[in-house]
Amino acid sequence: MIERILKFNRAIILLAVTAGIIFCFCAFTVTVPKGVEINGIDVGGLTRQEASLLVRKSIEEELKGKQLKIVAKDRVYTFSFPEIYYKDNVYTLIKNAKKGDKLTAGISYYLCGLNSIAPHICLNESTSVIEPYAEFFKISTPFSYREGRDGEVADEKKLIEDVKNSLSGGFEPVKLHYTSVKRQKTLQNVKEETKLLATFTTYFDDSNINRTSNIRLASNMLNGTVLESGKTLSFNDIVGARVKERGFLPAKIIENGEFTEGVGGGVCQVSTTLYNTALLCGLEIEEYHPHSLAVGYVPPSRDAMVSGTACDLKIKNPFAMPVYVRAKTVNGSVTFSIYGLGDGAEYSISSNSTGTLPAPEEVTSDPEKARAGKDGLLSESYVTVKRGSYTKTYLLRKDKYKPVKKVVYEGAEAPPEPEAEESENNG
């Protein structure tokens, strides 16, 4: 029974397929009635397939003579057949044609891939906004200013609409339309963002060649630093190890509470100068270290010692815009200048001594060991912030600088006091 049903189903399917093939064959072999014209072409007596091919060949020949031009500012994009193709109702007309009909085919043209082409053209023809900006230099004038330019965005939606209208009309050239995009800043804004916030100078004996060389080398490494908003500057990361292989020379340093020779002497004067400049423009000090002995190139409680990797000077930029660091060493002075937008406040620093620590004395019979002592010092420093009519002063830090032991040779005059301008472990 099942086999009979399967044989019957196969027979039905075979008949259906055969009928379909016969129908399709007949559809294309049926001839068009006499006297039928489509687009002025006589197709009477031709099969429907022959008539369709003949009319469409005529349509394509005419289309080959057409072009679509999209006109931008500096170039023209040209499209033609087969990039421009068409849809028609030719077969429907032929199928329904009656003897003697004079018919006109409905034709609609389209640009192949228009929805991909339009974004590409618009992206290619748009110009981005270039905001006014400043170029920062390490030497000479700190900044050079550029005006920038407004941008233009080609209108993709309008382009697609205009292309369709052109292809449905007389293939008129399509002009690309633009929307202007204005700059958000002015050159004056940029100049405000790069104004001088603070400058600070310390002085040294430039006849001390090695120390001068170390100061110049370290300050040159810091010169040109750009500290972005929210970022932290590490003195040790930028200046690196103070060793002979990197060009640093022996000079006076402070080590274990004593003045002695060491590679990199003078570098702490650079860190101290930068520290004071940072305070004067409102930057945040995340790490600093006082010397064990007082130094002579800044008032007490305003020094910043750096040493190896253990003691660093770290400065954070809390402002919304970058700050720019310039350093210059010339004629026995090192100067740091910091530029940026700042927070609108004025900063000043004051310091004073609050006490002394008497230098201990020791007697020696060796004249070469004799030296003058130096009293230690208790000190504190303050920062004053002025913002409009509001002024506030707060304690910055308190310090205790050790005394230098006095060694007296019996019967001899005391030698001069040790130099107070040198700094600790690379300073």
Side-chain angles (χ1 to χ4, degrees):
M1 184 67 178
I2 294 175
E3 289 181 0
R4 289 180 181 177
I5 293 172
L6 291 174
K7 287 180 180 180
F8 179 75
N9 288 343
R10 289 194 192 102
I12 293 297
I13 293 171
L14 181 60
L15 286 172
V17 171
T18 303
I21 292 171
I22 292 171
F23 176 79
C24 291
F25 176 77
C26 291
F28 281 100
T29 56
V30 172
T31 58
V32 180
K34 295 289 185 178
V36 173
E37 292 183 6
I38 299 178
N39 292 355
I41 300 172
D42 185 0
V43 293
L46 299 177
T47 66
R48 290 177 180 177
Q49 183 180 25
E50 291 171 339
S52 297
L53 291 174
L54 184 61
V55 174
R56 285 174 177 155
K57 182 179 180 181
S58 173
I59 293 172
E60 290 178 7
E61 287 299 322
E62 183 181 354
L63 181 55
K64 287 177 183 179
K66 296 177 180 291
Q67 286 185 331
L68 170 69
K69 293 185 177 183
I70 297 175
V71 182
K73 285 191 172 181
D74 298 319
R75 72 191 86 188
V76 176
Y77 298 84
T78 303
F79 301 92
S80 57
F81 178 84
E83 296 167 304
I84 301 173
Y85 214 68
Y86 63 97
K87 297 177 182 178
D88 62 59
N89 65 343
V90 170
Y91 187 76
T92 301
L93 290 179
I94 290 173
K95 181 180 176 182
N96 298 318
K98 297 176 182 178
K99 184 178 179 179
D101 281 348
K102 311 298 181 186
L103 306 171
T104 301
I107 305 168
S108 60
Y109 300 102
Y110 62 91
L111 177 60
C112 299
L114 174 59
N115 289 335
S116 298
I117 292 171
H120 175 76
I121 291 176
C122 290
L123 180 63
N124 200 39
E125 295 300 326
S126 296
T127 55
S128 57
V129 172
I130 298 178
E131 296 290 346
Y133 65 97
E135 291 183 81
F136 181 47
F137 301 104
K138 292 184 177 183
I139 58 175
S140 186
T141 303
F143 296 98
S144 176
Y145 295 96
R146 299 289 183 268
E147 288 278 2
R149 71 177 184 207
D150 292 336
E152 286 187 320
V153 177
D155 192 332
E156 179 185 328
K157 184 178 179 181
K158 176 69 172 168
L159 174 60
I160 292 174
E161 179 185 338
D162 289 349
V163 166
K164 290 179 178 179
N165 289 338
S166 175
L167 295 179
S168 64
F171 280 65
E172 299 86 358
V174 173
K175 186 176 180 181
L176 201 58
H177 290 265
Y178 300 85
T179 300
S180 179
V181 182
K182 299 296 183 182
R183 286 163 283 187
Q184 298 298 306
K185 290 183 178 180
T186 66
L187 198 57
Q188 186 58 38
N189 294 146
V190 178
K191 290 181 178 180
E192 283 294 314
E193 293 168 0
T194 54
K195 65 183 179 182
L196 178 64
L197 298 177
T199 187
F200 189 78
T201 301
T202 61
Y203 299 90
F204 56 88
D205 179 8
D206 59 0
S207 66
N208 186 332
I209 296 175
N210 284 9
R211 193 167 189 278
T212 300
S213 177
N214 291 336
I215 291 173
R216 179 176 289 108
L217 180 58
S219 64
N220 285 345
M221 291 174 176
L222 290 155
N223 184 34
T225 298
V226 179
L227 185 57
E228 298 291 341
S229 172
K231 299 299 182 180
T232 297
L233 176 155
S234 165
F235 185 96
N236 284 343
D237 284 352
I238 295 175
V239 175
R242 277 73 82 182
V243 293
K244 290 181 180 179
E245 292 77 7
R246 301 186 67 246
F248 289 95
L249 304 175
K252 280 281 184 72
I253 64 171
I254 301 172
E255 190 170 33
N256 298 323
E258 298 286 342
F259 289 99
T260 184
E261 285 287 316
V263 175
V267 172
C268 285
Q269 183 162 351
V270 178
S271 59
T272 293
T273 309
L274 176 59
Y275 169 76
N276 279 266
T277 315
L279 287 172
L280 288 171
C281 62
L283 297 179
E284 294 179 5
I285 307 300
E286 289 190 337
E287 180 182 344
Y288 81 94
H289 300 272
H291 292 88
S292 59
L293 303 178
V295 296
Y297 44 78
V298 286
S301 291
R302 292 181 62 174
D303 58 322
M305 181 267 293
V306 289
S307 176
T309 58
C311 296
D312 198 0
L313 170 64
K314 292 183 178 179
I315 301 168
K316 181 178 180 179
N317 176 12
F319 306 141
M321 301 296 294
V323 294
Y324 306 84
V325 180
R326 283 278 298 262
K328 181 172 66 173
T329 303
V330 62
N331 298 330
S333 69
V334 55
T335 299
F336 275 88
S337 301
I338 295 179
Y339 301 82
L341 182 59
D343 60 1
E346 296 178 17
Y347 294 85
S348 59
I349 314 169
S350 59
S351 67
N352 61 282
S353 300
T354 58
T356 58
L357 303 171
E361 290 191 11
E362 179 182 301
V363 177
T364 181
S365 59
D366 184 350
E368 293 186 0
K369 292 183 178 180
R371 69 178 188 191
K374 183 179 180 182
D375 289 342
L377 187 64
L378 299 175
S379 64
E380 56 193 25
S381 59
Y382 296 84
V383 172
T384 298
V385 183
K386 184 178 181 182
R387 195 185 304 274
S389 60
Y390 172 81
T391 301
K392 179 181 179 180
T393 299
Y394 63 90
L395 177 67
L396 177 63
R397 52 189 265 198
K398 291 184 177 182
D399 296 294
K400 179 180 179 180
Y401 298 100
K402 295 179 180 179
V404 178
K405 181 171 61 176
K406 180 179 182 181
V407 180
V408 179
Y409 172 60
E410 290 183 336
E413 293 183 4
E417 289 187 358
E419 296 179 35
E421 64 177 0
E422 308 302 340
S423 48
E424 182 146 0
N425 292 347
N426 298 340

